[in-house]
Amino acid sequence: MASVSFRDIRKSFGKVEVIHGIGFDITDGEFVVLVGPSGCGKSTLLRMLAGLEDISGGEIVIDGRVVNELESKDRDIAMVFQSYALYPHMTVRENMGFSLRLRNAEKATTDERVMRAAKILNLDQLLERYPRELSGGQRQRVAMGRAIVRDPKVFLFDEPLSNLDAKLRVAMRAEIKALHQRLKTTTVYVTHDQIEAMTMADRIVVMHDGIVEQIGTPLELFDKPGNLFVAQFIGSPAMNVLPGTLRRGSNGAYVEALGSRWPVPSTVSGNDGQAVSYGIRPGDLSLADAGVAAKVFVVEPTGAETELLLQVGDAQLTLVMHGRTTAQPDDTVHLAIAAAHAHVFDHASGQRLS
Amino acid sequence: MSGRFSWKKTSAEAQLLLIGIPVFLWTMIPVYHLFLFAISSKDSATSGRLWPKEPTLQNFGIVFREQHFYLNHFWLQLLNSVVIAVTVAVLTLFIATCAAFAISRLKLVGGRTVMNLALFTYFIPAAFLAVPMYKTMSVYGLLNSQWALILAMVTIASPYGIWVLKQASDKLPWELDEAARIDGASPLQLFRLVYVPLMMPSLVAVGTYSLLLAWNEYLYAFLLLSKDTDVTLAVALGNFLSADDSPWELLMATGFIYALPPAAIYYAFKRYMVSGLTAGAVKS
């Protein structure tokens, strides 16, 4: 187990810089998820940590030691790949024991550690099989087993669940989280799926275009997104965002948008007349007898919840409510807005005003 | 419905047969003639019959007991052929595998140039290079040594081997190398424990190719070797034609024997040449 630090990390491919100076620290035993849309540089950052890509600038520190010039094998890390990358000509046992074999570990030690990892992952019945004889989920577990056997300082996961079907993904998500709670090994996990990030992470690093947009616990990011990008990236369905103007009247502040007044938290900063983006999560809207008028566009019942697509002026809003509704398409409804949960961002910079 | 008569299926099979039968005949008729000669006595060899009146294995007996002027060193020459072909295959495999690994997996600087040069060697037919090769070998003092033929054949076979193995290497999932590197493999361990086992089908194909190339080579063997005890059986067979009254039936019997090992090798290694050994490595 170890801490990891990124210090002003930069990466260029030829003349194109894709990572523009990233710095943050991961504490010992923490589960950190790097999340962002494809092309944001999250995988590149992970591969630099793994030693699979050169570092163009800055320093990566594992357990107090700068590893920039260290080979992958000397960094004491283990990585689980999206494609599993199992050795097809080796059995599950050989795959899991490969790293120990390379270190000339004694056979008894190897057997014992492979067995222990296999038991943790329910692979003990499959040890003599070849990867081609396993299902996707089993292969994924072997890839994780290969990492566990090493007992490394840091686990790296590169979109490990992207090749699994939806149901298995949810199950494996829980398995990885449980595994981390059991082993408490520092983990860096890359995904483009914000739900994965939210459900698994101790802390999330949201990346976009080669920079860090925000770092925080899942609920911090959800409750107080630092900017518009994070606000729209985290949360599903995505936050409703309306262009508007901040007004400071005698009765407090509000945002004028789509011809209506939208309530804001009392803590909001910014000046009267400032152009802003007003954000409200679908779950923070509810149906009421009075309030902003909206026309129902589509009703999507999912059982426990109902999602309504609404038309307000020329903007579309999403509303998520618990239970069911009698609202029909083309009905006019009124919206109650949880003012304390509204978000206001500067229109030009996208930064949070609070 | 299964077993139902289907015009489409039948016509597809008919088309295949229409192509297959002529190709089969085309290939097999010379071989059949070879066999026919080999089991005929000297008098009836050219009778033109589809099956000899009195088929005999006597010719094979003469060959095996070296009971003819042209066959004095039959066993030695067969051994020469084996030794030379196997050595060529081993050397070619070693060179081509190392080159393909270095170029494809280690991304060696200048690898592209090597590949282009390898291809370039095939712009000139090997036959044109026979005399320059003879000259080269004489400079190195290798004439009349079997190493001359071995080195010449390795030179001819390697570029093709490098190309085939490089193409096959490129198809191996890159993540396997990365996983092995993280697991702690040095380049040599990566080569030995991951790369070579996964390349086995292609290695067998290239090995068989170079083995058969050397086994069947006549021109270079004829030029570079001269002593009767050094030459390969292919050259010895050629020597049959130096007389006006060649013993055809013995030539054909020897030729038949000479053709058996390649056929055996082909069938023995055929099953290794199927792809699919990498199944299960990565999700595709």
Side-chain angles (χ1 to χ4, degrees):
Chain A
M1 285 194 275
S3 59
V4 174
S5 299
F6 295 94
R7 293 179 187 156
D8 194 28
I9 292 297
R10 288 170 191 280
K11 176 68 186 177
S12 307
F13 290 109
K15 283 181 182 161
V16 186
E17 193 176 82
V18 294
I19 290 183
H20 315 288
I22 282 180
F24 61 93
D25 297 322
I26 300 169
T27 56
D28 188 11
E30 202 174 13
F31 195 121
V32 167
V33 174
L34 307 180
V35 68
S38 50
C40 72
K42 56 190 188 297
S43 277
T44 308
L45 193 64
L46 189 79
R47 290 171 58 81
M48 284 197 279
L49 176 56
L52 298 173
E53 297 278 357
D54 291 334
I55 300 163
S56 307
E59 280 181 343
I60 293 180
V61 181
I62 299 176
D63 208 12
R65 184 176 177 200
V66 176
V67 297
N68 285 35
E69 301 301 324
L70 279 189
E71 293 269 342
S72 297
K73 63 187 170 99
D74 301 322
R75 296 189 185 191
D76 201 6
I77 43 150
M79 184 154 166
V80 176
F81 292 82
Q82 176 176 356
S83 60
Y84 321 136
L86 302 179
Y87 310 116
H89 57 296
M90 298 182 199
T91 61
V92 169
R93 182 193 297 281
E94 289 165 341
N95 260 285
M96 288 170 67
F98 188 60
S99 61
L100 298 177
R101 180 178 161 200
L102 292 174
R103 283 170 176 66
N104 293 319
E106 276 181 43
K107 196 179 176 309
T109 320
T110 309
D111 284 350
E112 185 206 319
R113 284 168 75 169
V114 168
M115 204 58 206
R116 196 171 56 203
K119 284 223 172 83
I120 291 174
L121 292 163
N122 280 327
L123 289 168
D124 37 344
Q125 303 299 316
L126 305 173
L127 284 174
E128 305 312 322
R129 296 232 194 137
Y130 285 92
R132 61 177 173 275
E133 298 163 343
L134 302 176
S135 70
Q138 289 168 336
R139 287 180 201 175
Q140 184 59 63
R141 284 215 291 276
V142 176
M144 280 160 53
R146 200 165 59 178
I148 294 175
V149 166
R150 295 270 310 276
D151 194 15
K153 283 183 184 158
V154 186
F155 278 142
L156 309 180
F157 289 87
D158 190 5
E159 309 224 11
L161 305 184
S162 298
N163 282 343
L164 301 176
D165 63 53
K167 205 170 169 183
L168 199 53
R169 202 178 304 161
V170 174
M172 288 303 292
R173 206 160 76 190
E175 243 177 81
I176 294 178
K177 196 169 177 179
L179 187 70
H180 177 255
Q181 283 163 2
R182 177 171 177 169
L183 300 175
K184 304 238 182 320
T185 306
T186 312
T187 302
V188 185
Y189 185 109
V190 162
T191 179
H192 62 269
D193 181 351
Q194 56 93 18
I195 302 260
E196 248 171 59
M198 294 290 283
T199 49
M200 301 174 81
D202 291 330
R203 274 197 308 156
I204 297 177
V205 178
V206 183
M207 292 180 63
H208 181 218
D209 282 346
I211 58 158
V212 170
E213 293 280 359
Q214 193 175 356
I215 302 176
T217 65
L219 293 181
E220 273 169 18
L221 297 187
F222 188 83
D223 292 340
K224 275 199 153 189
N227 56 50
L228 201 52
F229 176 80
V230 176
Q232 290 184 297
F233 191 77
I234 299 287
S236 173
M239 184 188 282
N240 297 300
V241 176
L242 313 170
T245 312
L246 185 65
R247 295 289 177 203
R248 290 195 177 277
S250 50
N251 294 333
Y254 61 90
V255 167
E256 203 173 81
L258 305 172
S260 303
R261 288 185 175 199
W262 302 78
V264 298
S266 52
T267 53
V268 72
S269 61
N271 305 317
D272 186 52
Q274 185 174 350
V276 296
S277 298
Y278 180 82
I280 185 81
R281 295 211 180 270
D284 295 328
L285 291 173
S286 53
L287 297 182
D289 296 333
V292 177
K295 201 166 98 176
V296 177
F297 198 56
V298 176
V299 180
E300 293 180 339
T302 60
E305 291 181 334
T306 306
E307 216 173 298
L308 295 177
L309 249 72
L310 307 167
Q311 186 92 32
V312 181
D314 50 5
Q316 270 192 9
L317 298 186
T318 313
L319 177 155
V320 174
M321 56 184 287
H322 287 290
R324 298 157 194 209
T325 177
T326 53
Q328 295 289 320
D330 290 334
D331 285 357
T332 298
V333 294
H334 295 278
L335 302 178
I337 297 148
H341 293 136
H343 309 266
V344 183
F345 305 96
D346 178 58
H347 181 71
S349 70
Q351 293 302 309
R352 179 181 191 84
L353 298 173
S354 65
Chain B
M1 264 181 279
S2 63
R4 212 184 73 166
F5 181 82
S6 146
W7 268 113
K8 207 171 168 183
K9 208 174 148 197
T10 312
S11 98
E13 271 174 22
Q15 284 172 22
L16 275 178
L17 282 178
L18 215 61
I19 302 166
I21 290 173
V23 169
F24 178 77
L25 290 177
W26 182 264
T27 321
M28 288 315 289
I29 284 178
V31 178
Y32 181 69
H33 269 289
L34 178 82
F35 181 66
L36 210 60
F37 266 104
I39 59 165
S40 304
S41 62
K42 190 174 175 71
D43 313 327
S44 64
T46 49
S47 67
R49 300 174 66 95
L50 274 178
W51 188 252
K53 247 187 206 154
E54 293 160 353
T56 168
L57 291 176
Q58 200 191 353
N59 295 330
F60 292 97
I62 297 174
V63 174
F64 289 145
R65 289 192 294 271
E66 303 186 332
Q67 282 169 337
H68 192 275
F69 169 69
Y70 288 120
L71 292 165
N72 278 340
H73 304 290
F74 170 78
W75 289 109
L76 184 62
Q77 287 159 346
L78 188 67
L79 181 71
N80 288 342
S81 282
V82 171
V83 168
I84 288 170
V86 169
T87 315
V88 166
V90 169
L91 284 178
T92 305
L93 268 183
F94 179 75
I95 292 169
T97 316
C98 291
F101 179 73
I103 294 167
S104 168
R105 309 312 281 188
L106 302 181
K107 304 281 177 206
L108 201 70
V109 179
R112 258 186 92 88
T113 317
V114 173
M115 293 303 293
N116 288 334
L117 285 175
L119 188 64
F120 182 74
T121 57
Y122 287 112
F123 286 161
I124 304 163
F128 292 0
L129 294 174
V131 172
M133 196 70 90
Y134 180 86
K135 174 77 184 148
T136 309
M137 293 305 169
S138 86
V139 168
Y140 288 111
L142 288 171
L143 285 183
N144 291 325
S145 155
Q146 290 182 343
W147 279 108
L149 179 59
I150 290 168
L151 292 177
M153 295 319 295
V154 169
T155 310
I156 293 167
S158 293
Y160 175 76
I162 293 173
W163 258 93
V164 169
L165 293 182
K166 155 82 164 60
Q167 302 298 333
S169 304
D170 287 347
K171 289 193 188 116
L172 289 185
W174 189 244
E175 290 96 328
L176 288 180
D177 293 44
E178 295 185 334
R181 273 168 65 194
I182 291 180
D183 271 345
S186 65
L188 218 63
Q189 285 171 319
L190 177 66
F191 178 76
R192 198 162 52 87
L193 301 174
V194 178
Y195 179 77
V196 168
L198 293 181
M199 287 291 287
M200 209 38 96
S202 307
L203 294 183
V204 169
V206 167
T208 311
Y209 160 80
S210 45
L211 188 88
L212 296 185
L213 188 81
W215 182 265
N216 291 329
E217 178 59 29
Y218 175 76
L219 175 64
Y220 277 76
F222 174 73
L223 268 178
L224 297 172
L225 304 173
S226 41
K227 265 194 289 188
D228 270 353
T229 49
D230 281 347
V231 296
T232 60
L233 200 55
V235 176
L237 284 173
N239 287 344
F240 271 75
L241 303 173
S242 57
D244 291 338
D245 57 341
S246 295
W248 291 109
E249 70 291 352
L250 294 181
L251 174 62
M252 295 300 159
T254 320
F256 190 77
I257 296 164
Y258 197 57
L260 288 178
I265 286 167
Y266 176 75
Y267 280 102
F269 288 124
K270 204 169 70 162
R271 67 191 179 98
Y272 290 106
M273 294 192 208
V274 290
S275 54
L277 208 73
T278 56
V282 296
K283 176 131 182 174
S284 50

